[in-house]
Amino acid sequence: MSKIAIVTGASKGIGRACALRLAKDGMTVIVNYSRSDEAANKAVEEIKAAGGSAAAYKADVSDPEQVKTMFKDIADQYGTVDVLVNNAGIVKDEYLLMLTSETLDKCLDLNIKGYLYCAQQAVLKMFRQKSGVIVNMSSVSAKMALAGQSVYSATKGAVNSMTQTMAKELARYGIRVNAVAPGFVMTEMVDQLPEDKKKEYLKAVPMGRFADVSEVADLVSFLCSDESKYITGQSIVLDGGLSL
Ligand code: NAP
């Protein structure tokens, strides 16, 4: 039987690429998203056209009730959850003195609380079967100081910390937890940056280019596979040398 994977924020960008890749690896993939119906359905169609199995599920993962309902519906339909990719996240650059409580709440609610809500629900299914994998999407911003990203980088630092703690707590149940920390990846998130910022960031990458989403998906695929079965609690940087 194929494994059941949930990828949050999979209608676009990195999450979409992870969904496509895990489906190619033979998993049945739940494409979670919160607003973009058309994009999510397109991702599902693309997976099915390639011979894979997928379904879209609309839920705001920063809302604990919606998360509970999503995991219950998925468990009712598919029996379990084997893989969770906690990916849905937002970046909202604001210098400290311009920071609003609205931005702060949005970032903490999605980038931190959302990851914990989903992990909690996934683990409730995984620990009974004594196996499971969680991959948390972090960022190189957790370790690199970028002006304007005090909130974003704090949320990604929290992702790295929760990855370690969860890994330690859950190892005894056969559940592995790792994080992927990309540098700049070509998605809407990066595309929306002002041109001068993009040029400046590009100059800072020793490999001279931003990552393709498929390169992040390759690493996620590895961390979800048995090839990484002795790796847990790690945050693996994938940044073309940006943080060196
Ligand atoms: P993106 O292109 O903006 O896509 C974000 C995805 O998250 C969309 O599918 C969006 O779907 C979904 N989403 C947003 N809010 C949601 C919510 N409340 N509930 C469920 N889904 C939600 O983002 P991305 O660049 O691929 O980034 C994905 C992850 O990688 C984030 O955690 C980000 O911090 C991290 N990351 C990105 C980069 C980069 O350079 N792009 C670098 C390092 C780390 P809807 O439109 O339907 O809401």
Side-chain angles (χ1 to χ4, degrees):
M1 231 176 82
S2 76
K3 286 189 173 167
I4 310 300
I6 302 181
V7 183
T8 69
S11 60
K12 296 182 203 153
I14 294 171
R16 183 181 196 279
C18 292
L20 261 59
R21 176 58 201 257
L22 296 182
K24 204 171 151 198
D25 292 344
M27 298 185 197
T28 294
V29 180
I30 312 304
V31 172
N32 160 259
Y33 69 105
S34 68
R35 286 160 304 184
S36 311
D37 303 289
E38 206 182 319
N41 290 331
K42 230 171 135 189
V44 169
E45 276 164 29
E46 201 174 317
I47 289 171
K48 287 183 175 168
S53 168
Y57 197 106
K58 186 173 188 166
D60 175 350
V61 293
S62 67
D63 176 342
E65 289 312 313
Q66 291 189 42
V67 170
K68 262 189 205 162
T69 307
M70 173 170 77
F71 277 86
K72 184 183 179 307
D73 288 349
I74 290 163
D76 286 350
Q77 186 165 353
Y78 299 97
T80 189
V81 173
D82 300 291
V83 168
L84 165 67
V85 181
N86 258 329
N87 165 78
I90 40 167
V91 63
K92 209 158 182 322
D93 286 9
E94 275 174 17
Y95 289 102
L96 184 65
L97 294 178
M98 310 292 280
L99 181 64
T100 62
S101 60
E102 197 197 346
T103 296
L104 186 55
D105 286 344
K106 268 195 174 160
C107 290
L108 300 187
D109 286 352
L110 182 57
N111 297 6
I112 300 181
K113 291 188 197 172
Y115 280 37
L116 290 164
Y117 297 144
C118 289
Q120 194 176 40
Q121 290 303 312
V123 167
L124 280 171
K125 315 289 173 229
M126 291 170 177
F127 90 98
R128 279 194 211 115
Q129 68 203 24
K130 288 225 174 273
S131 71
V133 174
I134 298 175
V135 178
N136 294 322
M137 200 54 65
S138 179
S139 165
V140 78
S141 299
K143 291 198 172 152
M144 261 189 89
L146 284 175
Q149 292 205 336
S150 55
V151 177
Y152 182 71
S153 62
T155 64
K156 294 305 184 179
V159 169
N160 289 355
S161 304
M162 74 170 79
T163 298
Q164 292 181 330
T165 311
M166 283 184 206
K168 203 162 186 176
E169 274 184 29
L170 299 171
R172 76 189 65 177
Y173 303 112
I175 301 168
R176 292 188 299 111
V177 188
N178 288 293
V180 172
F184 297 109
V185 187
M186 270 320 296
T187 67
E188 268 180 33
M189 195 180 259
V190 165
D191 213 31
Q192 76 194 2
L193 293 167
E195 280 309 314
D196 56 330
K197 274 269 173 223
K198 267 193 258 180
K199 274 193 191 142
E200 182 193 320
Y201 291 155
L202 204 52
K203 267 197 214 148
V205 184
M207 285 181 72
R209 64 175 179 85
F210 295 147
D212 187 77
V213 286
S214 64
E215 292 170 311
V216 185
D218 287 345
L219 179 53
V220 170
S221 161
F222 168 71
L223 290 173
C224 292
S225 76
D226 276 353
E227 284 172 21
S228 61
K229 63 179 185 288
Y230 201 57
I231 301 178
T232 198
Q234 304 306 305
S235 298
I236 301 176
V237 173
L238 176 131
D239 69 351
L242 174 68
S243 58
L244 298 175

